[in-house]
Amino acid sequence: MALELRPNCECCDTDLPPASLNAVMCSFECTFCTDCAEDILHGKCPNCGGELVRRPVRPAAKLVNNPASTVRIFKAAGCISQKSA
């Protein structure tokens, strides 16, 4: 089963296309932009507490048979800092 490659940051709703180098995710595929991951979340997923790592880029040719997700997950209230959590 392929990664979902979610289309946006859950915190700020920034678009994160499949080729983005500014996307990070946890092992449950919760997805965030690098700005939110570093400045607000401090490398820790607010949903599961897991480590946030750079999301791999799927080669464009592979997107034909394994497209990225179009389902946007967004926390309208934003994300809570994980610095002391």
Side-chain angles (χ1 to χ4, degrees):
M1 176 179 251
L3 294 173
E4 285 185 24
L5 299 182
R6 295 178 183 168
N8 65 304
C9 174
E10 289 186 27
C11 288
C12 69
D13 205 29
T14 294
D15 289 337
L16 297 170
S20 177
L21 297 177
N22 295 319
V24 297
M25 60 187 279
C26 72
S27 66
F28 289 100
E29 299 182 55
C30 302
T31 303
F32 307 94
C33 68
T34 54
D35 288 341
C36 287
E38 293 169 5
D39 299 341
I40 298 171
L41 303 175
H42 305 282
K44 188 174 179 182
C45 178
N47 302 320
C48 70
E51 175 186 18
L52 295 174
V53 297
R54 189 175 73 78
R55 183 181 73 185
V57 172
R58 184 169 299 153
K62 299 296 183 182
L63 288 168
V64 173
N65 291 328
N66 297 287
S69 175
T70 58
V71 177
R72 296 181 80 85
I73 298 173
F74 175 57
K75 299 178 180 312
C79 289
I80 298 171
S81 175
Q82 297 297 297
K83 193 169 189 172
S84 60

